[in-house]
Amino acid sequence: MYGLSDEDLEIQARAAMLADELIPAEVEAELAGGELPKDVTAAHAARARELGLCATNMPTALGGLGYTTLQQVLVQEQAGRVTNALAWVASTPPSWMPAVATPFQLEKFIIPTVRGEREECYAITEEGAGSDVDAIEATARRDGDDYLLSGEKWHVTSYNSADYAFFQGKLAGGEHDGEHAMFLVDLPSPGVTVVRTPAYSHSIGHHHPIVAFEDVRVPATHLVGAEGDGMSFAYEWFRFERMMVAARCLGAAQRLTEEMTAFATGRQVQGRPIAELGAIQAMLADSLTELFAARSLTYETARNIDAGLDVKVQHAQCSMAKLYASEMAGRVADRAVQVFGGRGYMRENVAERFFRELRVERIWEGTSEVQRAIIADQMVKRGPRALA
Ligand SMILES: Cc1cc2nc3c(=O)[nH]c(=O)nc-3n(C[C@H](O)[C@H](O)[C@H](O)COP(=O)(O)OP(=O)(O)OC[C@H]3O[C@@H](n4cnc5c(N)ncnc54)[C@H](O)[C@@H]3O)c2cc1C
């Protein structure tokens, strides 16, 4: 099905194996606030690496696996079947970096990340700047051979496990005053402090603290690309992440349709399985139909990227895949809770966990409203036929 090659199917099977091995640890993680013992997480990470599921998006010249976009989607789709972010061990380092990184940056940050020896986090969003990244107030001021970085960043995912951050700020002074720039900041560094670590809907081991940067000194060698380049990196990263959000949503919906079908088949009410009730059948049928549509859209978009489609069209198609797959997965999780009845409201139930966890897929990496704005903008500029 879906025209997958033998190689694609083999990669998909390896990723499915990892997901099947991680699923039994979900409830323990959920009930412990998302945290598993460190040695267990380390063993999961080692297994993901052993199975060839890490750095699938990085070039082989840097030690990555150089998978096609479709193959990366197949891996992240299987990862998406697992709750509590346990499958984040199938890590995807910043694939936009090799094109812009200096040899120093490759050596110090990127190659160790590909090897699993270092981990990054992203400090871009601020209290007053999320969808509108251009509204950031963080600053970067040149000081001799260094820059001084200041600002307060929100939702810095994985700050608790990362050992370096991408920090985006606006240049203060100089030729590019007011333009964006991105920097690599080692963690910990003097001047970087956690303001607080809010609790979020999901229970995962990766925290999203608010982090203050106060006159954090970084050498000019830590500037990514050139002054004024900051925004273009974010756009490229968004395209990749939106595809991977779509992929993980497919996996979540796959798991949910299987679990709800199994439950509906076994659960008897008034002497017959609830799967024979029209109201339940509608929820099952709508869920699988929408999953099929989302998967076809996402795989086709991945193939278009691999075929080198125009980058603006890619951008719009990635938005369509993210929009549709994340909204679809949210609907499927809602129905799955309903099919499970009271059990669907228990945290030990997969539908309950996905019901909370999938909500953020419509928010991060660009909200659904932002995806619609991107798609509509491209429709007006290029015409619907160019996009779909
Ligand atoms: C769990 C989590 C982890 C995150 N991790 C990171 C991270 O690691 N690094 C990082 O930098 N950021 C991170 N983020 C931030 C995330 O990318 C933003 O929350 C997201 O982009 C939305 O921005 P906002 O929260 O400021 O909402 P806002 O931009 O304030 O949006 C509020 C509402 O207005 C709507 N809206 C905004 N603009 C438009 C528009 N043009 N048209 C129509 N409607 C619009 C939105 O859709 C939304 O409904 C994370 C967020 C969460 C929740």
Side-chain angles (χ1 to χ4, degrees):
M1 232 193 274
Y2 300 107
L4 300 178
S5 69
D6 288 347
E7 189 185 340
D8 296 340
L9 290 169
E10 189 275 326
I11 288 170
Q12 185 186 50
R14 266 189 279 129
M17 195 183 298
L18 178 71
D20 290 340
E21 291 176 18
L22 296 176
I23 284 171
E26 289 174 343
V27 175
E28 181 189 344
E30 173 63 32
L31 299 180
E35 312 281 349
L36 288 175
K38 282 203 169 13
D39 57 322
V40 173
T41 303
H44 289 168
R47 184 69 175 135
R49 198 155 287 280
E50 181 186 46
L51 285 169
L53 302 170
C54 297
T56 56
N57 60 333
M58 299 300 282
T60 49
L62 297 181
L65 296 175
Y67 286 2
T68 65
T69 308
L70 180 61
Q71 290 167 346
Q72 294 171 42
V73 162
L74 295 174
V75 170
Q76 290 301 313
E77 179 178 5
Q78 294 304 315
R81 288 172 50 226
V82 186
T83 65
N84 301 90
L86 298 183
W88 286 18
V89 289
S91 57
T92 51
S95 49
W96 51 269
M97 264 299 271
V100 293
T102 61
F104 163 78
Q105 291 168 351
L106 286 178
E107 205 59 45
K108 183 171 156 72
F109 295 98
I110 304 307
I111 293 172
T113 309
V114 171
R115 288 200 199 112
E117 295 159 5
R118 298 202 73 175
E119 185 184 343
E120 79 284 14
C121 63
Y122 283 82
I124 299 172
T125 301
E126 298 175 9
E127 183 174 12
S131 305
D132 181 12
V133 182
D134 199 32
I136 59 171
E137 291 182 353
T139 55
R141 184 182 300 279
R142 186 85 193 215
D143 184 42
D145 289 338
D146 302 330
Y147 286 90
L148 292 172
L149 311 180
S150 295
E152 191 176 275
K153 296 296 186 177
W154 276 48
H155 313 295
V156 185
T157 299
S158 305
Y159 179 86
N160 57 320
S161 51
D163 69 351
Y164 70 99
F166 287 94
F167 172 96
Q168 193 160 328
K170 282 186 178 170
L171 294 155
E175 199 188 328
H176 296 276
D177 183 58
E179 293 178 26
H180 288 249
M182 191 175 269
F183 297 87
L184 291 150
V185 182
D186 282 304
L187 297 174
S189 274
V192 184
T193 51
V194 172
V195 177
R196 65 187 177 93
T197 303
Y200 286 70
S201 293
H202 53 207
S203 310
I204 71 173
H206 299 258
H207 302 167
H208 319 280
I210 298 171
V211 181
F213 293 74
E214 288 168 275
D215 283 336
V216 178
R217 186 172 287 278
V218 295
T221 52
H222 286 211
L223 170 68
V224 180
E227 289 192 349
D229 277 355
M231 292 292 278
S232 59
F233 304 141
Y235 291 134
E236 193 166 341
W237 181 240
F238 275 146
R239 275 197 296 281
F240 169 81
E241 271 303 322
R242 285 168 188 165
M243 281 304 287
M244 298 307 139
V245 164
R248 287 188 289 269
C249 286
L250 301 179
Q254 174 73 48
R255 170 107 180 264
L256 287 164
T257 52
E258 284 168 359
E259 300 262 8
M260 66 206 267
T261 306
F263 181 77
T265 308
R267 177 67 171 169
Q268 302 272 324
V269 173
Q270 294 170 337
R272 55 199 277 237
I274 60 170
E276 290 179 9
L277 305 174
I280 298 290
Q281 288 176 335
M283 290 193 274
L284 298 182
D286 286 350
S287 297
L288 192 63
T289 304
E290 292 178 27
L291 168 59
F292 190 24
R295 185 180 279 139
S296 303
L297 162 62
T298 305
Y299 285 12
E300 178 69 10
T301 301
R303 287 195 167 102
N304 287 339
I305 294 171
D306 288 331
L309 188 72
D310 174 86
V311 76
K312 289 274 167 65
V313 178
Q314 273 186 32
H315 204 76
Q317 291 193 345
C318 290
S319 287
M320 286 193 254
K322 199 253 182 195
L323 171 66
Y324 189 73
S326 62
E327 299 268 340
M328 174 279 301
R331 288 191 294 274
V332 172
D334 185 66
R335 293 183 196 118
V337 170
Q338 202 66 19
V339 168
F340 275 104
R343 288 169 179 77
Y345 199 60
M346 295 163 76
R347 283 169 59 183
E348 64 195 52
N349 185 288
V350 64
E352 191 280 339
R353 293 195 300 280
F354 269 130
F355 182 68
R356 276 180 292 118
E357 292 183 13
L358 287 167
R359 190 63 185 83
V360 76
E361 307 291 4
R362 290 188 259 163
I363 297 171
W364 59 15
E365 311 304 346
T367 63
S368 288
E369 293 72 32
V370 166
Q371 307 310 326
R372 290 188 178 101
I374 292 168
I375 298 159
D377 181 57
Q378 288 297 315
M379 285 171 75
V380 170
K381 285 186 180 141
R382 289 159 189 273
R385 280 192 188 188
L387 306 183

